[in-house]
Amino acid sequence: MSDRVGTALLRTPRVGDAADIWRIAKESRVLDTNSSYAYLLWCRDFPGTTVVAEVDGKIVGFVTGYLRPERPGTVFVWQVAVSAGQRGRGTGTAMIENLLDRVAPHGVTALETTISPDNPASIAMFAAVARRRDAEFTKRPLFEADVFPDEHAAEELYEISPITKEIR
C-alpha cells in the first residue's frame, strides 16, 4: 500500500529498507537506536503497522508500530523519525495519518505512543494529528525514569482516540 504526500511516497517497508531506517534512527540523536537486527525484524514482521517515506528512491522517514496484543483495537507507535533534510515538511504527521488510515478498517480505534517530557516537537506532532481527526488527546505517566536500568528519561503515555473521525 502506498500514498503520496508532497514529493514523498508513503508505503509499507521492505526488508531492504531496514538499514536506512536504522540509519535515520541513529542520526536523529533523539530516538533510542535499536539493533539493526530489530529493524530487519520490524520490516519483516510488522509491515502493516509500519510506514516509510521515500523521495527519489531514498528512504527519508519512518514510523514503526504494532497492534497491542492485550488491546488489539490500539496501534502503538514505537518510533517516528524523518531525516534532517526532510524535517518541517509535514512528513512525520503524514506518515502517522497514513498508518491510521491503514489500520482503522481493521477495527483499530486508538493510537498510543510514549514521549519523554523533553520532546515538545513530538508532542506537537501527535497533538496535530489528534486535532485533525477531532479526537481526544490524553496523557498519563507510564514509565518513571527510575524503572530504567540506564539514564533514560521518563516516558509519558499519550493516546489519540477515536482515530476514525473525519479529518479536517
Side-chain angles (χ1 to χ4, degrees):
M1 178 173 219
S2 65
D3 194 11
R4 282 205 181 268
V5 59
T7 59
L9 171 69
L10 305 181
R11 63 172 175 80
T12 58
R14 298 184 281 267
V15 169
D17 298 328
D20 288 331
I21 293 170
W22 176 83
R23 179 188 46 76
I24 291 167
K26 185 175 180 179
E27 289 173 357
S28 77
R29 300 189 187 271
V30 175
L31 295 178
D32 291 334
T33 305
N34 298 297
S35 72
S36 59
Y37 181 63
Y39 292 104
L40 284 164
L41 287 175
W42 213 282
C43 290
R44 185 195 78 159
D45 293 345
F46 300 106
T49 52
T50 299
V51 178
V52 294
E54 179 182 321
V55 173
D56 298 328
K58 182 177 179 186
I59 302 301
V60 297
F62 71 90
V63 171
T64 55
Y66 62 88
L67 297 181
R68 287 199 48 211
E70 298 298 320
R71 289 183 65 193
T74 299
V75 62
F76 183 87
V77 172
W78 177 262
Q79 290 186 319
V80 178
V82 176
S83 62
Q86 290 293 311
R87 291 185 192 134
R89 298 179 185 198
T91 304
T93 301
M95 290 188 296
I96 295 167
E97 295 273 7
N98 180 276
L99 171 61
L100 295 179
D101 291 344
R102 243 196 286 154
V103 298
H106 303 285
V108 175
T109 61
L111 174 149
E112 285 184 348
T113 194
T114 59
I115 307 171
S116 60
D118 63 349
N119 191 344
S122 189
I123 295 166
M125 180 178 60
F126 282 96
V129 170
R131 276 191 310 277
R132 284 179 44 90
R133 291 182 174 263
D134 195 27
E136 294 289 322
F137 186 55
T138 59
K139 168 183 89 163
R140 67 178 189 269
L142 183 64
F143 298 124
E144 296 298 328
D146 64 355
V147 300
F148 290 96
D150 56 9
E151 301 291 320
H152 201 290
E155 292 280 343
E156 295 175 319
L157 182 68
Y158 287 81
E159 183 173 352
I160 298 173
S161 178
I163 64 165
T164 54
K165 291 188 178 180
E166 284 290 316
I167 298 175
R168 289 193 267 170

